[in-house]
Amino acid sequence: MKYKAVISDLDGTLLNSEHKISNYTKTIIKSIIDSGVKFFIATGRHHTDVLSIKKILDLDSIMITSNGARVHDKQNKEILARDLPLSISRKILDLKIDSDIYSNLYAGDHWYTEKEAKWIEDFHSESGFTYTLANFKDLKNTKITKFFYLHEDPKVMSQLEAKFKELYPNQLNVTMSLPVCLEVMAKDVSKATAIVELLKLENLKIEETIAFGDGLNDLEMLDLVGKGFIMENGNDILKEKLPHLEVIGNNADDGVAKKLEEIFKIKK
């Protein structure tokens, strides 16, 4: 099978442990693009945040962000938007969340949080995209793209995940992008649903695509494409749910670039 498209997650996958793109990865991606293969980003990050990475990689491609809630075309114009229903987002805004959990949300071009979290900015050092402090109760009439919650203890996140699933059964897509990050989107939102739309626009077949990911928010995507790859550093539950997929190298060691070099037989 000659693959025609590559789709990659960012954090824990394409980005290294410093949340950056290595020079080696840049070189490999440029080589496969020059050979005619298309390269797409599919991430939980905000579209504004991803623009800097798209520029670093010199990509001229459709971009999937907010776990599939947003899709932007080659000119960075929004072509798909799936927000949470106001009836549900208002209830979530009223939820009592433990004070030691960092509550965040994306709404349009904005990232809102209720308290300072300077350590989060390490993830966005390249783009400079950052949050605005807000009282969530003032956002009752705002269309919300997604909520995400952060805590250094994965057990706390697991308990919050269970709470959401109990309160809103079959009403939301609730998933872990990292063991310390819980994401909450509209029910029909996932990277996979966005990829289906992307492939239609690009006139590509599912079997012509490969994808890379590390988190549970990558599950549907990795299970959909022609061939999916899980990072060595990926979530153990993801590996258990998709035991038929190959586990490749670590993101800290350019695992994606090395696998791409192997698949596309790139000559140095």
Side-chain angles (χ1 to χ4, degrees):
M1 165 63 69
K2 179 174 170 54
Y3 296 111
K4 296 181 180 180
V6 177
I7 306 165
S8 181
D9 172 50
L10 290 178
D11 294 290
T13 302
L14 196 67
L15 304 185
N16 61 24
S17 53
E18 296 176 348
H19 312 293
K20 295 182 179 180
I21 302 275
S22 73
N23 288 329
Y24 169 62
T25 293
K26 291 179 201 174
T27 301
I28 295 299
I29 291 174
K30 184 179 187 305
S31 295
I32 67 169
I33 291 172
D34 288 347
S35 74
V37 176
K38 297 184 177 184
F39 191 95
F40 303 100
I41 289 171
T43 177
R45 289 190 182 216
H46 192 279
H47 58 272
T48 301
D49 193 16
V50 181
L51 287 176
S52 63
I53 296 169
K54 187 176 177 181
K55 185 176 181 180
I56 287 168
L57 292 173
D58 196 24
L59 295 181
D60 177 24
S61 59
I62 293 172
M63 182 171 62
I64 294 171
T65 58
S66 294
N67 289 321
R70 289 290 185 275
V71 179
H72 287 73
D73 66 13
K74 297 174 184 179
Q75 289 75 42
N76 304 318
K77 180 182 177 182
E78 183 179 281
I79 55 176
L80 184 149
R82 291 174 173 155
D83 294 314
L84 285 148
L86 275 175
S87 59
I88 296 180
S89 65
R90 285 169 176 161
K91 292 177 183 177
I92 295 174
L93 289 168
D94 280 334
L95 263 187
K96 187 174 181 181
I97 304 293
D98 289 348
S99 60
D100 57 344
I101 293 174
Y102 288 86
S103 299
N104 301 261
L105 64 85
Y106 289 161
D109 292 331
H110 302 284
W111 165 16
Y112 294 112
T113 186
E114 290 193 301
K115 62 180 179 178
E116 294 279 359
K118 293 297 182 184
W119 57 273
I120 297 175
E121 294 176 11
D122 292 343
F123 284 81
H124 311 277
S125 58
E126 298 235 344
S127 68
F129 179 64
T130 191
Y131 54 78
T132 298
L133 288 173
N135 183 335
F136 281 8
K137 294 190 184 302
D138 294 334
L139 302 175
K140 289 290 184 72
N141 295 315
T142 301
K143 289 185 177 180
I144 294 170
T145 307
K146 75 167 189 175
F147 290 88
F148 61 105
Y149 303 90
L150 298 150
H151 193 279
E152 61 185 8
D153 186 349
K155 290 181 181 178
V156 173
M157 289 291 89
S158 293
Q159 290 167 359
L160 185 59
E161 178 184 25
K163 180 177 181 178
F164 267 102
K165 289 182 176 179
E166 180 184 354
L167 289 172
Y168 310 104
N170 301 313
Q171 297 178 62
L172 299 166
N173 181 0
V174 181
T175 186
M176 296 279 194
S177 55
L178 296 168
V180 296
C181 182
L182 179 71
E183 312 242 6
V184 179
M185 290 79 60
K187 181 181 178 180
D188 61 346
V189 167
S190 74
K191 293 182 183 183
T193 56
I195 287 169
V196 169
E197 299 303 317
L198 178 154
L199 297 182
K200 289 177 186 175
L201 293 168
E202 293 287 339
N203 196 27
L204 290 165
K205 298 175 182 176
I206 288 174
E207 57 267 27
E208 295 173 331
T209 63
I210 62 175
F212 299 87
D214 71 302
L216 287 170
N217 62 325
D218 297 315
L219 191 153
E220 297 94 342
M221 171 178 78
L222 296 176
D223 200 32
L224 170 75
V225 296
K227 192 171 181 63
F229 297 93
I230 302 174
M231 306 306 294
E232 179 185 61
N233 52 282
N235 191 299
D236 288 338
I237 298 174
L238 181 68
K239 295 173 186 176
E240 291 170 7
K241 286 181 175 288
L242 300 173
H244 57 292
L245 297 190
E246 180 181 345
V247 176
I248 63 168
N250 198 289
N251 74 306
D253 192 33
D254 295 312
V256 171
K258 288 177 179 176
K259 179 50 72 170
L260 289 174
E261 185 176 6
E262 173 191 324
I263 293 170
F264 294 101
K265 298 178 172 57
I266 297 169
K267 295 180 181 179
K268 294 182 179 179

Coordinates of all heavy atoms in Angstrom, one line a residue, residues 83-95 105-106 136-137 139-147 149 164 168 171-172 184-186:
D83 N -19.6 23.1 18.4 CA -19.6 23.5 19.8 C -20.5 22.6 20.7 O -21.3 21.9 20.2 CB -20.0 24.9 20.0 CG -19.0 25.9 19.3 OD1 -17.8 25.7 19.5 OD2 -19.5 26.8 18.5
L84 N -20.3 22.7 22.0 CA -21.2 22.0 22.9 C -22.5 22.7 22.9 O -22.6 24.0 22.8 CB -20.6 22.1 24.4 CG -19.4 21.2 24.7 CD1 -18.5 21.9 25.7 CD2 -19.9 19.9 25.2
P85 N -23.6 22.0 23.0 CA -24.9 22.6 23.1 C -25.0 23.5 24.4 O -24.5 23.1 25.4 CB -25.9 21.4 23.3 CG -25.1 20.2 22.8 CD -23.7 20.5 23.1
L86 N -25.6 24.7 24.2 CA -25.6 25.6 25.3 C -26.3 25.0 26.6 O -26.0 25.3 27.7 CB -26.4 26.9 24.9 CG -25.6 28.0 24.2 CD1 -26.5 29.1 23.8 CD2 -24.5 28.5 25.2
S87 N -27.3 24.1 26.3 CA -28.1 23.5 27.4 C -27.1 22.7 28.3 O -27.3 22.6 29.5 CB -29.2 22.7 26.9 OG -28.7 21.6 26.0
I88 N -26.1 22.1 27.7 CA -25.2 21.3 28.5 C -24.0 22.1 29.0 O -23.6 22.0 30.2 CB -24.6 20.1 27.6 CG1 -25.8 19.1 27.2 CG2 -23.5 19.3 28.4 CD1 -25.3 18.0 26.4
S89 N -23.5 23.0 28.2 CA -22.4 23.8 28.6 C -22.7 24.7 29.9 O -21.9 24.9 30.8 CB -21.8 24.7 27.5 OG -22.8 25.6 27.1
R90 N -24.0 25.1 29.9 CA -24.4 25.9 31.1 C -24.4 25.1 32.3 O -24.0 25.6 33.4 CB -25.8 26.5 30.8 CG -25.8 27.7 29.8 CD -27.2 28.0 29.4 NE -27.2 29.2 28.5 CZ -28.2 29.5 27.7 NH1 -29.3 28.8 27.7 NH2 -28.2 30.6 27.0
K91 N -24.8 23.9 32.2 CA -24.8 23.0 33.4 C -23.3 22.7 33.8 O -23.0 22.6 35.0 CB -25.5 21.6 33.1 CG -27.0 21.8 32.8 CD -27.6 20.4 32.4 CE -29.1 20.6 32.1 NZ -29.7 19.3 31.6
I92 N -22.4 22.5 32.9 CA -21.1 22.2 33.2 C -20.4 23.4 33.9 O -19.6 23.3 34.8 CB -20.3 21.8 31.9 CG1 -20.8 20.5 31.4 CG2 -18.8 21.7 32.2 CD1 -20.2 20.1 30.0
L93 N -20.8 24.6 33.4 CA -20.2 25.8 34.0 C -20.7 26.0 35.5 O -20.0 26.5 36.3 CB -20.7 27.1 33.3 CG -20.1 27.3 31.9 CD1 -20.8 28.4 31.1 CD2 -18.6 27.7 32.0
D94 N -21.8 25.4 35.8 CA -22.3 25.4 37.2 C -21.8 24.3 38.1 O -22.0 24.2 39.3 CB -23.8 25.3 37.2 CG -24.5 26.7 36.9 OD1 -23.8 27.7 37.2 OD2 -25.6 26.7 36.4
L95 N -21.1 23.3 37.4 CA -20.6 22.2 38.2 C -19.6 22.6 39.3 O -18.7 23.4 39.0 CB -19.8 21.2 37.3 CG -20.6 20.0 36.7 CD1 -19.6 19.1 35.9 CD2 -21.3 19.2 37.8
L105 N -11.4 26.3 29.4 CA -12.3 26.1 28.2 C -11.8 26.9 27.0 O -11.2 27.9 27.2 CB -13.8 26.4 28.6 CG -14.1 27.9 28.9 CD1 -14.4 28.7 27.7 CD2 -15.3 27.9 29.9
Y106 N -12.2 26.4 25.8 CA -12.0 27.2 24.6 C -13.3 27.7 24.1 O -14.3 26.9 24.2 CB -11.4 26.3 23.5 CG -9.9 25.8 23.7 CD1 -9.4 24.7 23.0 CD2 -9.1 26.5 24.5 CE1 -8.1 24.3 23.1 CE2 -7.8 26.1 24.7 CZ -7.3 25.0 24.0 OH -6.0 24.6 24.1
F136 N -16.3 31.8 35.2 CA -17.0 31.0 34.3 C -18.5 31.3 34.3 O -19.2 31.0 33.3 CB -16.8 29.5 34.6 CG -15.5 29.0 34.0 CD1 -14.5 29.9 33.4 CD2 -15.2 27.6 34.0 CE1 -13.3 29.4 32.9 CE2 -14.0 27.1 33.5 CZ -13.0 28.0 33.0
K137 N -19.0 31.8 35.4 CA -20.5 32.1 35.5 C -20.9 33.2 34.6 O -22.0 33.4 34.3 CB -20.8 32.4 36.9 CG -20.7 31.2 37.9 CD -21.3 31.4 39.2 CE -21.0 30.3 40.2 NZ -21.5 29.0 39.7
L139 N -20.0 33.3 31.5 CA -19.9 32.7 30.1 C -21.1 31.9 29.8 O -21.0 31.1 28.9 CB -18.6 31.9 30.0 CG -17.3 32.6 30.3 CD1 -16.1 31.6 30.2 CD2 -17.0 33.8 29.3
K140 N -22.2 32.1 30.5 CA -23.4 31.2 30.3 C -24.0 31.3 28.9 O -24.6 30.4 28.4 CB -24.5 31.6 31.3 CG -24.1 31.3 32.8 CD -24.2 29.7 32.9 CE -24.0 29.3 34.4 NZ -25.1 29.7 35.2
N141 N -23.8 32.4 28.2 CA -24.3 32.6 26.9 C -23.3 32.5 25.8 O -23.5 32.8 24.6 CB -25.1 33.9 26.7 CG -26.3 34.0 27.6 OD1 -27.1 33.0 27.7 ND2 -26.4 35.1 28.3
T142 N -22.1 32.0 26.2 CA -21.0 31.8 25.2 C -21.0 30.4 24.6 O -21.1 29.4 25.3 CB -19.7 32.0 26.0 OG1 -19.7 33.4 26.5 CG2 -18.5 31.9 25.0
K143 N -20.8 30.3 23.3 CA -20.6 29.0 22.7 C -19.3 28.5 23.0 O -18.2 29.1 22.7 CB -20.8 29.2 21.1 CG -22.2 29.5 20.7 CD -22.3 29.5 19.2 CE -23.7 29.7 18.7 NZ -23.8 29.7 17.2
I144 N -19.3 27.3 23.6 CA -18.0 26.7 24.1 C -17.6 25.5 23.2 O -18.4 24.6 23.0 CB -18.2 26.3 25.6 CG1 -18.4 27.6 26.4 CG2 -17.0 25.5 26.1 CD1 -18.8 27.3 27.9
T145 N -16.3 25.6 22.8 CA -15.8 24.5 22.0 C -15.5 23.3 22.8 O -15.9 22.2 22.4 CB -14.5 25.0 21.3 OG1 -14.7 26.3 20.7 CG2 -14.0 24.0 20.3
K146 N -14.8 23.4 23.9 CA -14.5 22.3 24.7 C -14.1 22.8 26.1 O -13.6 23.9 26.3 CB -13.4 21.4 24.2 CG -12.0 22.0 24.3 CD -10.9 20.9 24.0 CE -9.5 21.4 24.3 NZ -8.5 20.4 24.1
F147 N -14.3 21.9 27.1 CA -13.7 22.1 28.4 C -12.5 21.2 28.6 O -12.5 20.1 28.0 CB -14.7 21.8 29.5 CG -15.9 22.7 29.6 CD1 -17.1 22.5 28.9 CD2 -15.9 23.8 30.5 CE1 -18.2 23.3 29.0 CE2 -17.0 24.6 30.7 CZ -18.1 24.4 29.9
Y149 N -9.6 19.9 31.8 CA -9.3 20.0 33.3 C -7.9 19.4 33.5 O -7.6 18.3 32.9 CB -10.4 19.3 34.1 CG -11.8 19.8 33.8 CD1 -12.6 19.3 32.8 CD2 -12.3 20.9 34.6 CE1 -13.8 19.8 32.6 CE2 -13.5 21.4 34.4 CZ -14.3 20.9 33.4 OH -15.6 21.4 33.1
F164 N -18.3 13.0 35.2 CA -19.0 13.5 33.9 C -19.8 12.5 33.2 O -20.9 12.7 32.8 CB -17.9 14.0 33.0 CG -17.6 15.5 33.1 CD1 -16.4 15.9 33.8 CD2 -18.4 16.4 32.6 CE1 -16.2 17.3 33.9 CE2 -18.1 17.8 32.7 CZ -17.0 18.2 33.4
Y168 N -23.7 13.0 32.7 CA -24.2 13.2 31.3 C -24.0 11.9 30.4 O -23.2 11.9 29.5 CB -23.4 14.4 30.7 CG -23.4 15.6 31.6 CD1 -22.2 15.9 32.3 CD2 -24.5 16.4 31.7 CE1 -22.2 17.1 33.1 CE2 -24.5 17.5 32.5 CZ -23.3 17.8 33.2 OH -23.3 18.9 34.0
Q171 N -24.1 11.8 26.4 CA -24.3 13.2 26.0 C -23.1 14.0 25.6 O -23.2 15.0 25.0 CB -25.0 14.0 27.1 CG -26.4 13.4 27.5 CD -27.0 14.2 28.6 OE1 -27.3 15.4 28.5 NE2 -27.2 13.6 29.8
L172 N -21.9 13.4 25.9 CA -20.7 14.1 25.7 C -19.6 13.1 25.2 O -19.7 11.9 25.4 CB -20.2 14.8 27.0 CG -21.0 15.8 27.6 CD1 -20.5 16.1 29.1 CD2 -21.0 17.1 26.8
V184 N -13.5 17.5 27.5 CA -14.9 17.3 27.4 C -15.4 18.1 26.1 O -15.3 19.3 26.1 CB -15.6 17.9 28.6 CG1 -17.2 17.7 28.5 CG2 -15.1 17.1 29.9
M185 N -16.0 17.4 25.2 CA -16.5 17.9 24.0 C -17.9 17.5 23.7 O -18.5 16.7 24.4 CB -15.6 17.5 22.8 CG -14.2 18.1 22.7 SD -13.1 17.3 23.8 CE -13.1 15.6 23.2
A186 N -18.5 18.1 22.6 CA -19.9 17.6 22.2 C -19.8 16.1 21.8 O -18.7 15.6 21.5 CB -20.3 18.4 21.0

